[in-house]
Amino acid sequence: MTIHYAYEDILKAAKRIDWTVEEIIGRGQQLDFTRPFMPESLARTEGLGFMNEQEKLIFNQIRGHSYLYIFMLVEEIILPFVEEHANREGIQNPIETEAFMQFAAEESKHIELFAKFREKFQADFGTEIEVIGPVEQIAKAIMANHPLAVAITTLHIEWMTQGHYVDSVKNNVELCPQYESLLRHHWMEEAQHAKLDSNMVLALGEGLSQDELKLVLEDYFKIGGILDDGLQIQAKFDREAFERVTGRILTPEECAIYQDVQSQAFRWTYLGSGMTHPNFLKTLEALAPFMRETVESISHNFC
Ligand SMILES: [Fe+2]
Ligand SMILES: [Fe+2]
């Protein structure tokens, strides 16, 4: 199976989209704290039966905050990686370089968008929410792995973003309109990124032996482990923020339920939903069928 997305088409599509951070989050738009930010399929507040409806809403918004913070964090790691790929030696087609540079410029814009959102959220929500980092430390641990494993992780993240929007945010009238708009505008540009990632993965995988690809897959799982460690800490920070803002300290029994439900909710949001995305699996299969089969054989643990 071969997959290749034409750079000319990707670039044309990217250039048709034209929004600025100021249009999306400036100019007096307000976050609506009477509504959820995250779709329930990702937030999974229903499993937190010890919370009342108002508490579930507050927790959903805390999850909405960490969701975009984690996007910002991974995009800060993706940006220099993509820039390096755009400037690598041996590129024959200048349109390819331009498409990857456009990708990098958009990622830089998204980082600014998410930072502005965070500022606005913190100001209106009134309680500080701790976040994982620093990004340099996480980036260093991820970059110690094979470049193809980093590219596969990027592909995973960008199809995952697509899946979230299309499956549960698009046309979801219950969500805060400002938050939905932010995800919609982000999604428009990410649609091109996921295709570029697929091309990048197949280019980096060219000529690698089965044994090398096995090591690459191990590294992809190692990166998944690094992300999972961070996500579990973020789940704890989100619980602490909930306790601070509501003044309700969870009992040990409630903490155990929280741990069960939310560690899996975080895993599904950032790991399982990427590992099961059909287009992610299609590219893995094009690289080597055993890679797809291996990922599919363990993805249920993250769902
Ligand atoms: Fe992005
Ligand atoms: Fe992206």
Side-chain angles (χ1 to χ4, degrees):
M1 192 202 327
T2 55
I3 304 170
H4 181 78
Y5 297 101
Y7 289 110
E8 288 77 3
D9 297 344
I10 294 173
L11 197 56
K12 227 188 270 168
K15 286 190 168 169
R16 270 200 301 267
I17 302 159
D18 183 26
W19 54 262
T20 65
V21 171
E22 174 64 16
E23 282 163 356
I24 305 307
I25 198 144
R27 300 186 186 166
Q29 293 120 323
Q30 294 297 327
L31 293 166
D32 182 351
F33 283 95
T34 68
R35 296 188 190 213
F37 289 6
M38 291 279 276
E40 173 58 22
S41 57
L42 303 178
R44 294 193 182 170
T45 59
E46 282 314 310
L48 305 171
F50 55 85
M51 289 186 189
N52 64 33
E53 290 311 306
Q54 179 59 20
E55 288 170 336
K56 283 178 187 167
L57 178 67
I58 291 170
F59 183 69
N60 176 298
Q61 291 160 355
I62 293 171
R63 283 286 318 272
H65 166 272
S66 60
Y67 183 64
L68 293 192
Y69 173 75
I70 287 166
F71 272 6
M72 182 168 87
L73 184 116
V74 295
E75 295 198 349
E76 281 181 2
I77 299 171
I78 290 171
L79 173 58
F81 183 73
V82 168
E83 277 175 332
E84 210 181 304
H85 186 75
N87 293 310
R88 76 194 189 283
E89 280 175 31
I91 299 187
Q92 308 290 333
N93 178 2
I95 303 285
E96 177 180 344
T97 307
E98 200 184 337
F100 277 105
M101 289 313 286
Q102 171 88 18
F103 176 162
E106 287 165 0
E107 231 47 311
S108 166
K109 182 171 77 170
H110 300 168
I111 292 166
E112 191 193 336
L113 177 73
F114 298 141
K116 282 255 164 69
F117 163 81
R118 184 149 188 259
E119 225 172 81
K120 195 173 174 145
F121 183 97
Q122 300 263 18
D124 296 349
F125 195 64
T127 299
E128 177 115 12
I129 303 177
E130 225 179 317
V131 288
I132 53 171
V135 63
E136 296 75 17
Q137 198 182 318
I138 299 172
K140 198 172 159 207
I142 291 177
M143 290 304 165
N145 291 286
H146 194 290
L148 178 54
V150 178
I152 291 173
T153 308
T154 307
L155 178 75
H156 161 136
I157 290 169
E158 309 218 76
W159 279 123
M160 167 198 106
T161 314
Q162 292 289 293
H164 293 175
Y165 181 77
V166 174
D167 296 344
S168 46
V169 175
K170 192 176 180 185
N171 301 325
N172 187 337
V173 292
E174 302 207 322
L175 305 181
C176 159
Q178 161 86 72
Y179 195 83
E180 188 278 334
S181 150
L182 214 138
L183 291 182
R184 177 162 28 90
H185 287 88
H186 184 239
W187 162 77
M188 286 178 190
E189 294 184 338
E190 289 297 319
Q192 281 66 252
H193 297 186
K195 292 176 183 169
L196 288 168
D197 292 331
S198 183
N199 286 358
M200 173 165 71
V201 161
L202 296 175
L204 292 174
E206 232 173 67
L208 294 190
S209 69
Q210 291 277 309
D211 283 347
E212 284 169 313
L213 289 174
K214 267 186 204 156
L215 293 174
V216 165
L217 196 58
E218 273 174 31
D219 274 3
Y220 164 68
F221 292 138
K222 265 189 228 159
I223 296 172
I226 295 166
L227 294 175
D228 193 37
D229 289 347
L231 294 169
Q232 299 310 314
I233 298 171
Q234 189 61 53
K236 176 178 154 284
F237 288 159
D238 284 4
R239 173 176 56 75
E240 290 169 350
F242 170 80
E243 291 179 325
R244 269 198 303 279
V245 74
T246 60
R248 175 179 178 181
I249 306 300
L250 302 193
T251 65
E253 292 76 25
E254 290 168 345
C255 269
I257 297 171
Y258 177 89
Q259 175 67 21
D260 263 7
V261 172
Q262 284 303 311
S263 67
Q264 205 58 19
F266 270 79
R267 284 196 173 118
W268 163 247
T269 303
Y270 304 97
L271 301 172
S273 62
M275 292 166 90
T276 54
H277 194 289
N279 290 344
F280 172 71
L281 290 170
K282 229 187 268 172
T283 299
L284 271 192
E285 189 178 352
L287 214 47
F290 86 86
M291 295 178 93
R292 177 189 180 127
E293 287 155 18
T294 311
V295 169
E296 280 188 309
S297 71
I298 61 155
S299 59
H300 60 92
N301 294 309
F302 303 92
C303 293

